[in-house]
Amino acid sequence: MHRSRTSFVHRALRVARLVGPLCGLLACKREVDPGPPLTEVTGVSAVLSDVARDPNVVEVNLVARKQSLMLGPGLSFEMLTYDGLFPGPLLQAKVGDRVIVHFTNHIGAPTTIHWHGVRVPDFMDGSPMVRAPIPDGGSFTYDFVVPEAATFWFHPHVDTAYQLNHGLYAPFVVHSPLDPVYDEERMIMLDDLAVDASGALLPELGTYTDQVLGQLGNVLLTNGRPSELAVVESAEGRVERWRILDAANARTMQLRLTGPAHFRVIATDGGLLPTPYTTSTLTISPGQRYDLEVSYDGPGTVQLESNVTLNEVDGGVFQGWKPVFVANAVATGMPPRTIGWPDVPPIEERTPNRNAAIDFSVASDGDGGVLWMINGSAMHTTPLYGFELGDTVDLTLTNYSSVPHPFHLHGQFFTLMDGGTPETQLPGLRDTVLVPAGLSMHVAGRMDNPGRWMMHCHILEHAELGMMAEITVGDAGIP
Ligand code: C2O
Ligand code: CU
C-alpha cells in the first residue's frame, strides 16, 4: 500500500518534469510572485478578489443586482447592490496597476460605472454621453491604468440620484509605496437615507425641498449601517489612517473628533499631501474624500461627530453633533508614535494660462419645480468649453444661488487658488469642491487627461435637475 502510493507520486513527479518545459510554450498556469499583500483596509463589506496572476494587474468580477438587505432595526429595503453588498466591496490596487473589471448588470435598468476621481480614459469613465450605458442583462469590461494613489470610489452615472441612493457605491483604494504604515487603515463611508414612517425609502425628488436642497436623509449611515452601530475597538498609542468618503446624495458634513485623540489631514481627493495639516473641524461634501491620521493619546471613547440637522421619522428635529464613528481605546500606557512623513513630491505650482467661467444658478421650471443651471442652461447638448491638453485653467466658480454646490469635474484634478479665506487656502489635489452660496471661488484645473468630460454638482438631485455640463480636453475639441 505504502509502496504503491510512493511510486504513484514518483510517477506523477516524473510526468510533471516532462510537462514542465512545455508549459512555457502552451502558456499553462505558472506561479508568479504576487508581491507583498496590499495593506488591509477595514470597515468594508468585502474585498474584490483579484483573479489576475500578474502582480501588476488587478482583475475582478462584479455584478450589480437587486438585493433585499436589513441595514439595522426597522431598516429593511429592496436595494441595488454591487455583489449583493451595501456599500459594495472594496476594489483595491497599487498605483500604476492595470485594473480590469468584468461587470455585469442585473439591476433591471441600464447603468454604468464611474470611477470617481480616477483619471481613466473618457470611454472608461461611465459617462453615458461618451459610451452607451450597459443594458439590463448586459456586460462590459472596464480596463484602465490607475495613475494616482488615493481614496477613490465608484458609482453609476445613469439615473444617479436613484441608483446611488439605493445602494450602488463602493470604495476604491489605490495604494502607494509612499503610504506610511499605520496600525490600521479604516474606511469610513458616510451617508444618509430618507425613510418614511412606514419604513420605506422616500423617492429622491419627491418634494420641493428635495429639489432645492437635494434629498437630506433622516437616518445617518456609516459603512451602510446606522451610524450609532459604528463602534470599533482600538488602543491608546495607536495611530490609524481613516479614509473618509461622503457618499450622501446631498448632505455636506462638518466633522470633528472628540475624546482622547488628535488628528491631522494627510490626503485629499488626489492623494497624500506633501505636508499634512491640522484643523479642528473638517467640512466634507458629497463626492469628496479626506484621509485623516488619528493618534490615540489616551484610553477612552474617541468619537467622530457630524454636525447635522435631522428631520427625524417621528417628526422631531435634531440639530447638533451626532457621533458617526466611535472607537473605544483601551489603556496601554503607550504614547502615540510619531509617523515620519514620506517624501511626497510637492504639488507643482502652475500659473493658469486661460480662464473659464462656470456659473451656478437656479430658475423655476414653470411648473412649480426648479431648474438648476450651469452658465444659464439646464440642458447642455454640446460641451461648454474646449481646452488644450496641458492647459491650466483658472475656473471661476460662481454660485448665484443660496444653496452651496459641490462642483465635481471628471478626468482631471484641480487645486484651490488662494481666495484669502481659510476655505480657499486648503492644499491638495481635488476633483470636488464646495462652492459656497452667493460666492465666487477660483480653482486651477489641470487639463492633463484628453477626452470629453462631465462636470456637475455632486448634489445628485441638482445634477438630475440640470446642473450638469461637459468640457473637452485636447483633440476631442468642441465639434
Ligand atoms: Cu461621483 Cu460625476 O460623479
Ligand atoms: Cu448643487
Side-chain angles (χ1 to χ4, degrees):
M1 207 50 195
H2 173 80
R3 203 187 194 159
S4 74
R5 184 188 270 171
T6 309
S7 63
F8 171 77
V9 170
H10 279 167
R11 229 175 297 134
L13 281 175
R14 220 173 300 132
V15 172
R17 243 174 269 135
L18 285 172
V19 173
L22 289 174
C23 267
L25 298 170
L26 298 173
C28 326
K29 292 193 182 190
R30 263 172 304 164
E31 287 309 310
V32 174
D33 178 6
L38 298 175
T39 306
E40 191 193 355
V41 180
T42 60
V44 298
S45 56
V47 181
L48 285 170
S49 78
D50 176 8
V51 301
R53 287 197 298 280
D54 184 330
N56 299 318
V57 175
V58 172
E59 185 169 7
V60 301
N61 297 297
L62 186 72
V63 177
R65 59 181 163 89
K66 291 184 180 154
Q67 175 78 39
S68 299
L69 288 176
M70 183 157 111
L71 306 184
L75 299 172
S76 290
F77 310 110
E78 164 99 334
M79 302 190 70
L80 303 180
T81 64
Y82 291 121
D83 285 359
L85 301 166
F86 173 66
L90 171 69
L91 173 58
Q92 60 177 355
K94 308 185 301 305
V95 64
D97 280 355
R98 175 175 170 202
V99 173
I100 302 168
V101 179
H102 302 288
F103 174 63
T104 303
N105 173 18
H106 283 304
I107 64 167
T111 193
T112 64
I113 303 181
H114 168 54
W115 313 96
H116 182 127
V118 187
R119 298 188 317 121
V120 301
D122 64 352
F123 54 90
M124 288 289 160
D125 192 48
S127 166
M129 329 272 218
V130 175
R131 180 196 285 278
I134 301 142
D136 182 41
S139 293
F140 181 71
T141 295
Y142 291 93
D143 187 340
F144 51 82
V145 169
V146 285
E148 275 90 22
T151 303
F152 300 109
W153 62 308
F154 59 95
H155 63 73
H157 230 299
V158 175
D159 200 4
T160 316
Y162 175 85
Q163 291 190 6
L164 199 149
N165 192 48
H166 278 72
L168 287 179
Y169 68 80
F172 185 177
V173 170
V174 181
H175 299 272
S176 158
L178 292 178
D179 287 331
V181 177
Y182 289 103
D183 295 313
E184 183 149 357
E185 292 200 11
R186 303 181 188 277
M187 196 68 223
I188 301 179
M189 296 171 274
L190 304 174
D191 193 359
D192 62 7
L193 277 181
V195 180
D196 72 13
S198 76
L201 289 182
L202 286 157
E204 286 72 22
L205 279 164
T207 67
Y208 183 76
T209 310
D210 291 345
Q211 295 191 30
V212 175
L213 298 178
Q215 187 186 53
L216 297 169
N218 45 22
V219 176
L220 296 178
L221 298 180
T222 302
N223 296 339
R225 299 294 174 271
S227 291
E228 54 270 24
L229 302 181
V231 182
V232 298
E233 302 309 313
S234 191
E236 177 183 16
R238 277 167 64 103
V239 185
E240 299 177 345
R241 179 173 185 167
W242 291 8
R243 298 174 177 268
I244 302 180
L245 159 69
D246 183 345
N249 271 32
R251 184 181 291 277
T252 289
M253 312 190 195
Q254 194 193 2
L255 303 175
R256 72 176 184 192
L257 201 66
T258 64
H262 67 276
F263 74 93
R264 53 179 185 166
V265 179
I266 58 166
T268 56
D269 300 337
L272 291 178
L273 292 169
T275 313
Y277 68 93
T278 56
T279 175
S280 53
T281 62
L282 186 73
T283 301
I284 186 166
S285 57
Q288 285 187 310
R289 288 87 63 212
Y290 278 106
D291 293 13
L292 309 185
E293 177 188 284
V294 177
S295 304
Y296 295 80
D297 304 310
T301 303
V302 171
Q303 300 201 138
L304 182 68
E305 298 180 338
S306 179
N307 190 5
V308 291
T309 303
L310 279 179
N311 298 310
E312 283 165 332
V313 186
D314 60 12
V317 177
F318 174 90
Q319 192 150 24
W321 295 92
K322 275 247 191 217
V324 290
F325 190 78
V326 176
N328 290 313
V330 296
T332 61
M334 299 283 289
R337 63 197 171 92
T338 306
I339 301 289
W341 199 244
D343 258 323
V344 179
I347 296 167
E348 173 206 349
E349 289 279 350
R350 288 199 200 166
T351 310
N353 61 309
R354 60 175 290 187
N355 284 71
I358 298 174
D359 299 341
F360 306 99
S361 62
V362 64
S364 156
D365 70 353
D367 200 20
V370 298
L371 286 178
W372 286 104
M373 305 188 293
I374 292 182
N375 290 15
S377 169
M379 217 49 97
H380 290 281
T381 50
T382 53
L384 208 52
Y385 291 106
F387 301 120
E388 297 297 323
L389 188 62
D391 273 354
T392 298
V393 184
D394 174 350
L395 295 167
T396 308
L397 310 174
T398 306
N399 184 350
Y400 289 104
S401 76
S402 56
V403 176
H405 299 288
F407 167 77
H408 172 46
L409 174 63
H410 286 207
Q412 339 286 324
F413 288 120
F414 51 79
T415 55
L416 307 189
M417 294 171 71
D418 189 355
T421 69
E423 295 76 29
T424 58
Q425 285 162 340
L426 297 174
L429 294 170
R430 290 156 196 281
D431 54 59
T432 308
V433 67
L434 189 65
V435 187
L439 290 179
S440 191
M441 66 190 293
H442 296 261
V443 302
R446 299 158 164 255
M447 306 303 173
D448 292 335
N449 192 7
R452 179 171 174 174
W453 303 102
M454 300 176 114
M455 59 179 182
H456 60 91
C457 179
H458 221 288
I459 292 179
L460 301 173
E461 292 78 7
H462 288 181
E464 197 126 318
L465 295 172
M467 203 164 255
M468 165 83 72
E470 287 176 291
I471 59 158
T472 60
V473 176
D475 287 341
I478 289 187

